[in-house]
Amino acid sequence: MTEGSTTLLLFVFALSPAIVEELLFRGAVLGALLRDGRPARAIAASSGLFALAHLSLHRLPPTFVLGCVLGLVAWRTRSVVPAILLHAAYNGWAVLSGTGRLPAALAEHEVTLRWVGLLALLALLAAPWRRAADSAPPA
């Protein structure tokens, strides 16, 4: 499969899993768990299930952390779309890097781009998102 076109490779191993996994873990699972009003617990539980579903013991901690970031993004934005985009970008980077198809211009600056991406993500998470429950007048 890694011998095929880069577009097909990205569709099969980056975009498709991102869509399916985000709809399941951040849409259905996180959405159901958020009903108890405890976002941190809901994000942690859905991230644990996300990590376990990947069936890789050595990847369990980083997959759990990724699930927490994606869960926080989905919760803060009240949409799975940003989580899908972030997940697809993460998968795409991993696929291109792992198969040696990362463009040379990006590969030269891979460490810098990872830090820029991390800082951009932190800025997104720190943004003053206003959730409906946060903006409701006090009772």
Side-chain angles (χ1 to χ4, degrees):
M1 184 66 178
T2 59
E3 304 278 326
S5 77
T6 300
T7 303
L8 180 61
L9 194 68
L10 288 172
F11 178 77
V12 171
F13 293 109
L15 183 60
S16 296
I19 292 170
V20 172
E21 291 174 4
E22 291 311 306
L23 288 175
L24 175 62
F25 291 103
R26 258 55 71 187
V29 174
L30 180 60
L33 293 172
L34 282 170
R35 292 190 185 121
D36 78 355
R38 298 179 189 166
R41 182 178 288 179
I43 291 169
S46 66
S47 298
L49 293 172
F50 173 70
L52 289 172
H54 283 81
L55 302 174
S56 174
L57 191 56
H58 78 281
R59 297 262 322 133
L60 192 71
T63 306
F64 176 78
V65 171
L66 176 63
C68 288
V69 169
L70 294 169
L72 188 56
V73 167
W75 176 71
R76 293 285 303 261
T77 62
R78 300 182 73 197
S79 173
V80 296
V81 174
I84 289 171
L85 296 175
L86 182 60
H87 193 156
Y90 176 87
N91 287 352
W93 190 281
V95 166
L96 293 177
S97 182
T99 59
R101 295 182 188 205
L102 195 62
L106 293 177
E108 287 178 26
H109 305 288
E110 186 171 2
V111 173
T112 302
L113 289 171
R114 286 183 187 195
W115 280 105
V116 169
L118 177 61
L119 292 174
L121 179 61
L122 291 174
L124 170 71
L125 296 177
W129 295 98
R130 304 238 352 136
R131 297 183 49 80
D134 297 337
S135 61

